[in-house]
């Protein structure tokens, strides 16, 4: 049995929030603004609420099998073979997620800062840190998330506040965006942008059981929803909907236009600092989760020997897309629009199966709280 | 094994930290363009002019070695001005790198100047690289030049202080002190080009040939409180020929006209960009006497757009605050019972000026540079409905109501003017 260590609700919340919100640094805002226009800021709240509902269904599953993580539940409900296949799907998904996020990061840093540096060099440097984080383990990643959380939040807040002179509140009109049906359909599908909260189901035993799982998930989703919505709102107010859909990264663009006087301008270096930290937490956590699921599914006690093969796989995923267009329009579009079908619907399917087959876990010390 | 791994990782990071990548650049290895001018080319699409510092003596106006002006070699105030024709902006700059020993960087570019000719033809082709190229920040100011951009840049010098870069930034900030021209960072300008809510405008610049200042004469001059000044027309002499005054007005990416200095102030008052400026008004009780006021916005302008039988109605409410700069007639307007005369005078003049300016943008160009469309958009539920209505097309049909409330807040360092005494007049200072 793999030992991952324990950490408190605060660490779990910080870690989950960071994994959820890192996408605001990338192309995510642009896509939402492009597809839902002036309704983008509340369309993401629809996604968040949808995700909360789906998360509560996941919670029902976890509650039904106290003391068990999602891998064990898959095995118990669907049998060892199908359970392992389902776990492998999650392993592959999280490697794909880590690799795609990593490549998106590399493409962005090349677009804005290091246009001529070979991407493999940036990837290698980044993966070295990710490997170090994975080597330390989940507890180390959660502690790193705690350390990074406050600078990242202060940085985001600083960018959003300092760009105030560019805001025009009336840019949120026409309030209906491209229409209610479009906003709802995009809002529901884009709940995929909040699916990362599912990682809690794989580390449930490290966060002291289902009650903390529920609390952590709901708090993280709520706060992440507010942060993402606020960032989209600020981008919309600064750029209007036609231009907001043009920028590679709206938040970076927001940081680049901050200008107060000769002495107070060009502050996007703040952005670089927090952007890299947030990306490290996100890619580090998802990379570790893929390792963790694999180890749990195949009863591997030590995850460390697997770090190098998994980092090689992540590196491959990251190198596979040919261009920024391919990363954003294929990899990231899949992750942020369709991942709901993997991350939420598989556990919900397992929950239904558990109901039908009448399968249930035993009461444990963890579940009693 | 662990020690070896740590050593390898440390060495790897040292390797990266020494900037051993193709993006590592010494600050001194580059030359930072200050201003970029775009004219229509003769043999190719674009004639591009850039000015960059020579790093000799800080860019001052010393007539010493390395400083001063030598137009033949392109040296102006320790900067170099160079012009090239090319197929695109980026390639033009690349071509110029064959002339300069240091790579030309645009990261500190302060201003992009379009000649009026190409601005009137349409500038979307030129905006594209400016919006896309990572070196150009969207805080770079955009201006349209009466005449050629090349000539304007050749006159871009500083007489005060040594740094031309500082001088250019301070010149932009003069908008706050005068209200004679708007600040137009690329972000604002580009947003205007793409926006369905309003249209773009930019700073208007030009070169003065110093022929507008008439020779001294004994004849009595009339008091002219408002006059339509455009860049290059300020009646003055001096060494600096460049001028920034007025607003270039765009419909889409094409310049369609311009606002003079006072129209620009009215435009900025309505759009909320006006910070302060001196307005000289004629004393109604003593025509020919001037009352200069230091005027500012009391609060943010209130703009409301409603629709009546499909006709848009724009209501503009302004609250203006003013301090008295002088009362040439020495009439005691500061008194409580007379202060409203000044309030009414200011309100009337500004209200009238704003009405005329809005009317001009409606009738002459149908260009909503005020961005009233943001308010109009509140009456539409979806973007499709709003875009189908096309506010920019219907702007000219709007009825405009302007209401200005003025408050003279302070009277300067005097609370009233004591009368001037002449030998042939009896003056009694006792108040009745």
């Amino acid at each position: 049995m793999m030992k991952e260590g324990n950490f408190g609700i605060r660490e779990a919340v910080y870690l989950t929030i960071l994994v959820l919100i890192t996408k605001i640094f990338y192309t995510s805002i642009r896509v939402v603004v492009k597809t839902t226009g002036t309704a983008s800021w509340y369309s993401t709240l629809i996604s968040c609420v949808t995700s909360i509902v789906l998360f509560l269904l996941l919670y029902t599953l976890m509650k039904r099998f106290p003391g068990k993580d999602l891998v064990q539940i898959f095995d118990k409900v669907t049998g060892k073979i199908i359970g392992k296949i389902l776990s492998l799907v999650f392993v592959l998904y999280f490697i794909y997620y880590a690799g795609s996020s990593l490549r998106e990061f590399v493409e962005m840093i090349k677009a804005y800062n290091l246009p001529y540096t070979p991407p493999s060099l940036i990837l290698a440097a980044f993966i070295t840190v990710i490997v170090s984080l994975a080597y330390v383990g989940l507890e180390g990643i959660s502690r790193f998330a705690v350390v990074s959380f406050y600078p990242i939040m202060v940085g985001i807040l600083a960018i959003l506040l300092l760009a105030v002179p560019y805001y025009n509140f009336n840019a949120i009109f026409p309030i209906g965006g491209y229409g209610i049906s479009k906003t709802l359909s995009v809002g529901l599908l884009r709940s995929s942008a909040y699916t990362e909260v599912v990682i809690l189901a794989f580390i449930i035993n490290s966060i002291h059981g289902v009650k903390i799982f529920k609390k952590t998930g709901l708090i993280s989703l709520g706060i992440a929803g507010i942060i993402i919505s606020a960032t989209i709102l600020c981008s919309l107010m600064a750029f209007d909907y036609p231009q907001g859909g043009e920028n590679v990264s709206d938040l970076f663009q927001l940081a680049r236009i901050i200008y107060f006087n000769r002495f107070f301008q060009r502050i996007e270096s703040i952005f670089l600092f927090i952007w890299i930290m947030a990306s490290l937490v996100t890619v580090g956590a998802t990379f570790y989760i893929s390792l963790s699921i694999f180890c749990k599914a195949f009863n591997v006690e030590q995850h460390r020997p697997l770090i190098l093969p998994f980092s090689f796989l992540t590196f491959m995923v990251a190198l596979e897309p040919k261009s920024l267009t391919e990363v954003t329009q294929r990899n990231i579009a899949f992750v942020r629009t369709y991942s709901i079908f993997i991350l939420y619907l598989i556990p919900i399917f397992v929950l239904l199966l558990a109901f039908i087959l009448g399968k249930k876990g035993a009461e444990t010390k963890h579940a009693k709280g | 094994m662990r020690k070896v791994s740590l050593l390898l990782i440390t060495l790897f990071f040292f390797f990266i930290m020494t900037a051993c990548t193709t993006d590592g650049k010494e600050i001194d290895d580059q030359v930072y363009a200050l201003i970029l001018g775009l004219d229509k080319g003769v043999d190719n699409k674009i004639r591009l002019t850039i000015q960059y510092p020579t790093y000799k003596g800080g860019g001052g106006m010393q007539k010493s070695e390395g400083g001063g002006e030598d137009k033949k070699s392109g040296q102006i105030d320790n900067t170099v001005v160079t012009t090239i024709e090319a197929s695109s902006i980026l390639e033009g700059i690349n071509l110029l790198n064959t002339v300069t020993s240091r790579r030309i960087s645009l990261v500190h570019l302060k201003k992009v100047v379009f000649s009026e000719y190409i601005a009137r033809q349409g500038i979307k082709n030129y905006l594209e690289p400016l919006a896309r190229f990572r070196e150009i920040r969207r805080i770079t100011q955009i201006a349209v030049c009466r005449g050629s951009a090349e000539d304007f840049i050749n006159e871009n010098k500083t007489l005060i202080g040594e740094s031309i870069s500082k001088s250019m930034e301070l010149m932009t900030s003069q908008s706050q002190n005068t209200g004679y021209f708007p600040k137009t960072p690329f972000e604002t300008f580009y947003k205007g080009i793409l926006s369905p809510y309003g249209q773009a405008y930019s700073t208007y610049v030009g070169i003065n040939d110093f022929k507008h200042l008439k020779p001294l004469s004994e004849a009595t001059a009339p008091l002219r409180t408002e006059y339509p000044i455009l860049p290059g027309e300020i009646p003055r002499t001096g060494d600096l020929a460049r001028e920034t005054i007025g607003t270039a007005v765009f419909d889409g990416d094409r310049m369609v006209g311009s606002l003079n200095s006072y129209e620009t102030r009215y435009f900025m008052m309505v759009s909320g960009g006006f910070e302060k400026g001196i307005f000289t008004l004629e004393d109604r009780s003593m025509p020919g006497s001037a009352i200069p006021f230091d005027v500012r916005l009391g609060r943010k302008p209130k703009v409301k757009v409603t629709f009546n039988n499909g006709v848009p109605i724009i209501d503009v409410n302004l609250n203006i605050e003013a301090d008295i700069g002088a009362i040439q007639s020495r009439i005691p307007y500061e008194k409580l019972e007379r202060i409203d005369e000044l309030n009414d005078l200011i309100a009337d003049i500004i209200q009238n000026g704003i009405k005329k300016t809005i009317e001009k943008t409606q009738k002459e160009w149908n260009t909503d540079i005020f961005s009233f469309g943001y308010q109009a958009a509140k009456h539409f539920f979806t973007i499709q409905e709003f875009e189908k209505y096309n506010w920019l097309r219907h702007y000219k049909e709007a009825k405009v109501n302007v209401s200005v409330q003025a408050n003279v807040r302070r009277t300067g360092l005097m609370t009233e003017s004591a009368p001037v005494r002449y030998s042939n007049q009896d003056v009694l200072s006792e108040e009745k």
Side-chain angles (χ1 to χ4, degrees):
Chain A
M1 186 79 179
M2 192 184 167
K3 283 180 187 159
E4 295 186 299
N6 292 313
F7 49 90
I9 185 166
R10 198 165 64 108
E11 283 93 338
V13 167
Y14 289 173
L15 175 68
T16 318
I17 289 176
L18 288 184
V19 174
L20 283 167
I21 65 161
T22 301
K23 56 185 76 65
I24 63 172
F25 295 103
Y26 301 135
T27 53
S28 193
I29 298 177
R30 183 197 79 81
V31 175
V32 185
V33 173
K34 183 82 191 159
T35 48
T36 53
T38 46
S40 47
W41 63 278
Y42 63 85
S43 144
T44 196
L45 291 176
I46 295 172
S47 308
C48 184
V49 171
T50 312
S51 192
I52 287 174
V53 172
L54 295 171
F55 176 77
L56 288 174
L57 287 173
L58 177 64
Y59 164 70
T60 314
L61 175 69
M62 303 311 289
K63 208 168 97 180
R64 203 174 165 84
F65 296 93
K68 301 232 175 297
D69 59 45
L70 206 51
V71 176
Q72 292 165 316
I73 295 172
F74 286 161
D75 281 354
K76 189 153 189 181
V77 177
T78 61
K80 294 241 167 187
I81 295 172
I82 298 178
K84 282 185 182 17
I85 292 171
L86 290 180
S87 298
L88 268 180
V89 171
F90 277 82
V91 170
L92 291 175
Y93 173 77
F94 280 115
I95 288 178
Y96 186 77
Y97 182 98
S100 300
S101 300
L102 180 52
R103 181 59 188 269
E104 194 183 14
F105 169 82
V106 170
E107 287 302 325
M108 292 251 317
I109 210 161
K110 275 185 72 66
Y112 284 102
N113 302 93
L114 304 170
Y116 303 112
T117 303
S120 49
L121 186 69
I122 306 170
L123 279 173
F126 201 95
I127 284 183
T128 310
V129 183
I130 298 306
V131 164
S132 315
L133 281 173
Y135 186 85
V136 178
L138 183 61
E139 219 174 316
I141 295 172
S142 68
R143 304 279 185 262
F144 178 57
V146 174
V147 173
S148 317
F149 186 78
Y150 291 104
I152 291 171
M153 288 302 141
V154 169
I156 294 172
L157 199 66
I159 292 169
L160 298 185
L161 289 178
L162 291 171
V164 163
Y166 286 94
Y167 296 162
N168 184 345
F169 182 73
N170 295 313
I172 65 165
F173 298 104
I175 197 81
Y178 289 107
I180 292 175
S181 57
K182 175 93 175 178
T183 307
L184 273 175
S185 62
V186 173
L188 290 174
L189 261 184
R190 291 286 297 187
S191 58
S192 298
Y194 292 89
T195 47
E196 294 92 338
V197 72
V198 171
I199 61 172
L200 290 173
F202 293 103
I203 55 169
I204 192 163
N205 292 325
S206 297
I207 56 169
H208 310 291
V210 281
K211 278 189 182 167
I212 303 290
F213 167 77
K214 184 186 175 188
K215 209 169 169 184
T216 307
L218 292 180
I219 294 173
S220 309
L221 282 170
I223 295 176
I226 291 166
I227 294 170
I228 296 175
S229 175
T231 313
I232 294 176
L233 183 65
C234 292
S235 302
L236 192 64
M237 292 194 296
F239 301 119
D240 292 354
Y241 71 91
Q243 201 203 139
E246 260 194 14
N247 298 324
V248 171
S249 163
D250 281 284
L251 195 60
F252 203 165
Q253 203 62 266
L254 213 53
R256 273 169 70 97
I257 61 172
I258 291 168
Y259 180 95
F260 279 87
N261 53 43
R262 281 197 314 122
F263 302 105
F264 200 88
Q265 52 175 301
R266 298 160 198 273
I267 61 147
E268 68 264 24
S269 39
I270 293 181
F271 184 92
L272 278 179
F273 181 63
I274 60 170
W275 175 30
I276 292 169
M277 280 171 89
S279 301
L280 283 172
V281 172
T282 303
V283 180
T286 47
F287 175 76
Y288 176 82
I289 292 295
S290 68
L291 264 173
S292 166
I293 298 170
F294 187 87
C295 291
K296 284 168 186 164
F298 296 97
N299 294 323
V300 180
E301 280 195 17
Q302 274 288 330
H303 74 282
R304 285 175 183 167
L306 291 171
I307 290 177
L308 274 180
F310 270 65
S311 64
F312 179 71
L313 285 174
T314 311
F315 192 73
M316 293 298 287
V317 173
L319 276 184
E320 195 274 326
K322 290 188 189 106
S323 60
L324 174 70
T325 315
E326 214 171 289
V327 184
T328 53
Q329 291 181 17
R330 196 191 61 197
N331 293 36
I332 299 301
F334 169 73
V335 166
R336 289 180 198 149
T337 316
Y338 302 109
S339 63
I340 182 177
F341 296 109
I342 296 175
L343 294 192
Y344 276 132
L345 293 194
I346 290 179
I348 290 169
F349 163 74
V350 172
L351 173 67
L352 281 175
L353 209 63
F355 271 125
I356 293 164
L357 301 176
K359 290 194 175 174
K360 217 173 173 183
E363 194 80 352
T364 66
K365 202 168 72 178
H366 269 323
K368 284 175 187 165
Chain B
M1 181 61 195
R2 199 172 167 171
K3 280 179 185 170
V4 173
S5 309
L6 272 172
L7 187 70
L8 282 174
I9 290 170
T10 315
L11 283 174
F12 178 69
F13 280 103
F14 269 122
F15 169 73
I16 292 174
M17 284 163 74
T18 50
C20 290
T21 74
T22 39
D23 285 306
K25 287 180 196 80
E26 287 292 324
I27 292 173
D28 200 30
D29 286 352
Q30 303 191 94
V31 66
Y32 300 94
L34 297 168
I35 184 167
L36 179 77
L38 294 161
D39 288 291
K40 187 189 159 294
V42 178
D43 284 329
N44 209 338
K45 274 280 176 196
I46 297 171
R47 178 168 291 198
L48 183 123
T49 305
I50 67 165
Q51 183 178 26
Y52 52 85
T54 56
Y55 307 127
K56 293 175 189 167
M61 184 57 186
Q62 308 96 318
K63 298 280 178 189
S64 58
E65 202 182 336
E69 196 171 324
D70 180 4
K71 281 192 180 168
K72 211 173 170 185
S73 67
Q75 283 198 44
I76 295 164
D77 282 11
N78 281 332
T79 65
V80 173
V81 175
T82 178
T83 302
I84 195 166
E85 282 203 359
S87 53
S88 67
I89 297 176
L90 298 182
E91 175 140 23
I93 290 163
N94 222 214
L95 260 177
L96 280 174
N97 279 321
T98 59
V99 182
T100 56
S101 53
R102 299 169 198 220
R103 182 183 168 272
I104 296 169
S105 166
L106 301 179
V107 293
H108 289 285
L109 190 70
K110 306 278 177 223
K111 189 176 255 178
V112 177
V113 182
F114 294 98
S115 73
E116 186 164 338
Y117 180 82
I118 61 166
R120 285 187 182 272
Q121 303 286 312
I123 52 172
K124 68 173 187 297
N125 295 345
Y126 308 101
L127 294 177
E128 172 68 11
L130 299 179
R132 207 178 274 268
F133 190 44
R134 95 199 141 76
E135 280 189 4
I136 298 173
R137 278 180 173 76
R138 294 186 178 186
I139 52 176
T140 304
Q141 294 290 318
I142 298 292
V144 170
C145 176
R146 286 184 93 189
S148 101
E150 184 184 351
D151 291 346
F152 179 81
I153 294 175
N154 276 317
E155 293 298 334
N156 187 38
K157 344 172 192 175
T158 177
L159 295 180
I160 307 164
E162 292 199 336
S163 164
I164 199 158
S165 148
K166 179 178 177 178
S167 157
M168 286 174 71
E169 290 219 24
L170 290 177
M171 187 64 232
T172 303
S173 68
Q174 289 287 39
S175 166
Q176 290 154 230
N177 300 325
T178 64
Y180 284 135
F181 62 92
K183 282 184 191 175
T184 42
F186 180 79
E187 175 52 42
T188 310
F189 182 75
Y190 187 57
K191 189 160 80 169
I193 299 282
L194 306 177
S195 179
Y197 304 108
Q199 279 160 319
Y201 59 87
S202 84
T203 315
Y204 205 22
V205 298
I207 301 159
N208 199 320
D209 57 8
F210 304 121
K211 287 178 184 163
H212 296 272
L213 188 69
K214 291 177 185 159
L216 288 170
S217 95
E218 299 274 308
T220 313
L223 175 68
R224 294 171 65 204
T225 52
E226 268 191 50
Y227 32 83
I229 282 187
L230 287 170
E233 293 176 358
I234 300 178
R236 67 179 180 100
T237 57
D239 269 351
L240 274 180
R242 65 167 159 81
E243 274 175 14
T244 307
I245 193 164
T247 308
V249 178
F250 283 75
D251 180 357
D253 69 327
R254 279 192 292 273
M255 181 182 167
V256 287
S258 60
L259 298 180
N260 63 43
S261 49
Y262 268 72
E263 289 164 343
T264 296
R265 283 176 155 188
Y266 297 133
F267 153 61
M268 287 171 70
M269 280 179 179
V270 177
S271 58
F274 182 83
E275 288 199 29
K276 58 179 179 282
I278 303 290
F279 273 70
T280 303
L281 307 184
E282 187 164 18
D283 194 333
R284 280 174 177 163
S285 304
M286 193 179 282
S289 292
I291 312 178
F293 293 97
D294 189 353
V295 173
R296 62 195 171 270
L297 284 176
R299 67 175 86 100
K300 268 182 81 178
K302 285 183 185 164
V303 178
K304 201 173 150 193
V305 176
T306 49
F307 287 85
N308 188 8
N309 295 326
V311 178
I313 297 163
I314 301 169
D315 291 305
V316 179
N317 268 289
L318 280 187
N319 184 293
I320 299 288
E321 288 187 356
D323 294 344
I324 299 171
I327 303 173
Q328 289 181 352
S329 64
R330 300 185 79 81
I331 294 170
Y333 288 116
E334 304 94 333
K335 287 183 187 296
L336 191 61
E337 61 272 19
R338 298 205 71 169
I339 196 91
D340 275 343
E341 289 177 45
L342 293 186
N343 290 338
D344 293 343
L345 175 70
I346 298 168
D348 287 351
I349 300 277
I350 291 178
Q351 189 167 308
N352 202 24
I354 289 175
K355 267 188 179 170
K356 281 184 182 163
T357 307
I358 297 177
E359 203 176 287
K360 186 175 178 181
T361 61
Q362 284 183 299
K363 290 190 176 163
E364 289 189 27
W365 314 304
N366 188 27
T367 296
D368 178 15
I369 51 170
F370 301 89
S371 292
F372 291 130
Y374 282 109
Q375 299 298 327
K378 290 179 178 174
H379 297 274
F380 298 87
F381 184 69
T382 63
I383 292 173
Q384 292 93 322
E385 289 166 18
F386 182 59
E387 287 180 348
K388 201 175 166 194
Y389 174 76
N390 192 358
W391 166 256
L392 304 180
R393 188 192 298 277
H394 288 85
Y395 171 61
K396 61 175 180 247
E397 297 158 14
K399 286 182 181 165
V400 184
N401 302 313
V402 181
S403 161
V404 176
Q405 196 195 2
N407 286 303
V408 172
R409 295 284 187 200
R410 275 152 217 102
T411 57
L413 300 184
M414 291 161 63
T415 52
E416 63 177 278
S417 315
V420 176
R421 289 165 198 274
Y422 299 94
S423 58
N424 56 357
Q425 280 177 1
D426 294 329
V427 176
L428 301 174
S429 56
E430 187 192 11
E431 262 187 64
K432 285 178 185 168

